Amino acid sequence: MKLNIALLAGDGIGPEVVDQAVKVSDAIAEKFGHQINWSSALTGAAAIDAVGEPYPDETHQVCLDADAILFGAIGHPRFDNDPSAKVRPEQGLLKMRQKLGLFANVRPTFTFPSLLDKSPLKKERIEGTDLVFLRELTGGIYFGERGRKDDGNTAFDTCTYTREEVKRIAKKGFELAMTRSKRLCCVDKANVLESSRLWRETVQAMEKDYPEVEVAYEFVDAVAMRLVQWPNSYDVLITENLFGDILTDEASVISGSMGLMPSASVGTDNALYEPIHGSYPQATGLNIANPLATVLSAAMMFEMSFNLSEEGALIRKVVDAALTNGFVTEDLADGGKSYGTNEVGDYLVKLIKEA
Ligand code: IPM
Ligand code: MN
């Protein structure tokens, strides 16, 4: 099979972790007889430096022309403490999500048996956790009307959703629940917010089309609590953009390291795969960043964009083996022996070749 993949390494540790995912994907392609054609393009601070824009038109075209997009991370500290900066790397990410119509952000949280002790939560609480958030990604308060009034002394951001926007993400949630345990949790704040009441009303009306799916409606504050109390009581969760942003960071702690969780952002015609961690600027170029979240994002890409489940499964298997054998970066080494970003990538490639 020919796979055309856009490669957006981005900022900070992005290029280093993406390099490992490329090596691993190439090894997989070789093993299974596929041909990957990588097309690199600029995003984030790197793109601002080069062309003054965090998501240039040329990059958009590269993404449109590809079958899938592999993305590293975006963000640079020189913009963080400057609220007056006119262009920011993060704007590139939001523009990319919107222009590519990536409305569903799939963020799984699962535990690795060999890492149960790494989680700050008690082992018996997290054992068996395997849940997926479907975060709405192109609507809500991220894209609503915002501004200042009263000479700049009052600011507002609005959360707007249409019934259609809720329907398309809820449909993905119902469909995913059907392939898993048939349990769906709709996370909202319907006791306060009108947009949440529209979510709930829309999801309720869809229940009849999926009679086998058991739907629970829970308020976001309660979910924030229960997520760390009983994470393994959840399966598929759907929620709006900002709630999903916050809850998925919280959920990533369950697995023991932010450097482990992959994600996919899918739309009708495009799909992008990226680790959920950020650009970790302090680690840039030090060869210490954990590449596994990006490598697992590549696994999701093989599975979701190309329907190549055996290929995805082999990537998951070698990642598991690296964790079990302690061939890990320093964030997972507990002060013991650790390996560089590159060495972990090479080790995964070696395991794929031997498999
Ligand atoms: C994420 C990030 C982004 C978001 C930022 C960088 C704009 O936190 O992908 O979760 O808030 O969506
Ligand atoms: Mn976030």
Side-chain angles (χ1 to χ4, degrees), residues 167-240:
K167 250 191 197 165
R168 64 183 183 180
I169 182 87
K171 183 166 181 282
K172 288 233 178 271
F174 277 107
E175 286 170 359
L176 184 61
M178 282 302 287
T179 67
R180 295 173 52 102
S181 76
K182 302 195 169 75
R183 284 180 298 126
L184 179 67
C185 180
C186 175
V187 183
D188 63 31
K189 189 72 188 171
N191 50 347
V192 178
L193 303 178
E194 195 56 35
S195 53
S196 284
R197 289 193 275 271
L198 178 72
W199 267 76
R200 204 173 267 223
E201 185 183 303
T202 307
V203 177
Q204 274 168 346
M206 293 169 77
E207 279 190 43
K208 62 174 183 332
D209 302 326
Y210 303 88
E212 287 174 60
V213 178
E214 187 192 316
V215 188
Y217 298 86
E218 293 183 22
F219 297 137
V220 60
D221 46 354
V223 173
M225 185 176 70
R226 207 150 80 80
L227 195 56
V228 282
Q229 253 178 343
W230 305 111
N232 55 19
S233 68
Y234 288 111
D235 187 26
V236 179
L237 303 99
I238 52 171
T239 193
E240 69 90 41

